Amino acid sequence: MNMVDLIKKKRSGHELAKAEIECIISGYTAGSIPDYQMAALMMAVYFTGMSKRETADFTMAMARSGKIADLSAINGVKVDKHSTGGVADTTTLVLAPLVAACGAPVAKMAGRGLGHTGGTIDKLEAIPGMRTSLSMDEFIRNVNSIGLAIISQTDDLAPADKKLYALRDVTATVDIMPLIASSIMSKKLAAGADAIVLDVKVGQGAFMKDYKSALELADIMVNIGQSAGKKTVAAITDMDQPLGLAIGNSLEVIEACETLKGRGHRDLLDVCMFLSSYMLMLAGIASTREEAVAELEHALESGSGFAKLKQMVKAQGGNVDALDDYSLLPQAEIQYEIKAENNAYISSLNAENLGLCAMKLGAGRMTKDDSIDLSAGIMLNKKMGDFARKGETIAVVHANDRQKLSQVLPDILSSIQMAEKPVVRPKLIHALVSKDGVESF
């Protein structure tokens, strides 16, 4: 197929055929299609869009550009969860053990973070000795024996997406909705799950800033999943303020443990319960959300969810004692307390700014080659709507570099707004998108 003709076809607003898309992706991955032609095609897509069918075909072609994980040796329905990214979003470390404790196998491939804070793998590696690079045989064996394993994504997982995203990043073609959805879903489909629960964040701390855009992305991704034969639903959840209290890798491990011990913040737990309930339903463990929540609450209250986390950490070489004795986790040398100047309510916690401040302290990466300070971050004591008395600690900044702390502190302070009168707490869960449509909450 002639690439010039395909660029002209897309530029004119016509749909590309499945065979044409497969040829483009295989040729670009192999290097026979140069960057300049692929960049021209991406710009044509930017201006003319892609149909749902094209997007689904494009996604599957990217998923098949590398190895698709074969999880057939794992017993039961394998359900994956993916978040589009947020601040203090520690959901995986809470919901994966709870779901596994309820009988649904969780075989998850996760990534490292780029931006606000580390990804799930970075957080897990804050646990001393924790191995996240396992062979596929060991990965499958662990899931079959304890019901849970979380490992780092392999280099051969959707290589076309890695190459294409790098190109889009330098050609101003990142913010194309079909390609955003395709990038996310190609990795999820390649990871081999039978069903997928998506958590699409919306708000100032999310990639999708408004509800309309979040709904559009959720709808496209659900359609991709369904087209690939995967049961797929997408929740749209709030990210106008940090979800949990902890922003930073070691701090988020502590918050996950506290949540599984029944002492976590209700916002984080509520979102975890919502997402987990659909994971159990897609896995066939529960037939209704109420039934699923009852199972999850039992796993939480009985301690079986926390016990499942311990089993996974032990199986992957981590120091289980660190899940109870937090002094064994990476600790920052400096813990700077931010106190309320007057009696007031927390009126705003700018999630994006707080996430960027944590990154500047070392909790996240500005480039993929940056190293992470696993102990750095921000621990909130209050959230929007909470009342703080004069002199009460609102947040604690964890740092190892006094110069970075002094540079970042003014931005942290400006991200925390106070008011004399009570404020309305933001809604946590906005909607659920499925093949049957949109259900608002």
Side-chain angles (χ1 to χ4, degrees), residues 23 30 42 51 60 67 82 128 156 175 177 199 218 224 228 230 280 287 309 318 328 345 347 351 379 405 418 423:
C23 182
M42 292 298 97
S51 68
M60 280 309 304
K67 291 183 179 179
H82 175 79
D156 56 8
D175 55 338
M177 198 67 76
D199 181 11
I224 291 171
K230 310 289 186 181
L280 291 186
S287 55
L309 176 64
L328 298 175
Y345 292 90
S347 61
M379 191 72 193
L405 175 62
M418 312 288 284
V423 298

Side-chain angles (χ1 to χ4, degrees), residues 6-14 16 41 45 48-49 54:
L6 296 179
I7 294 169
K8 287 180 180 178
K9 182 178 181 180
K10 192 67 235 172
R11 188 190 65 189
S12 300
H14 300 296
L16 296 172
L41 181 67
V45 171
T48 64
E54 275 182 296

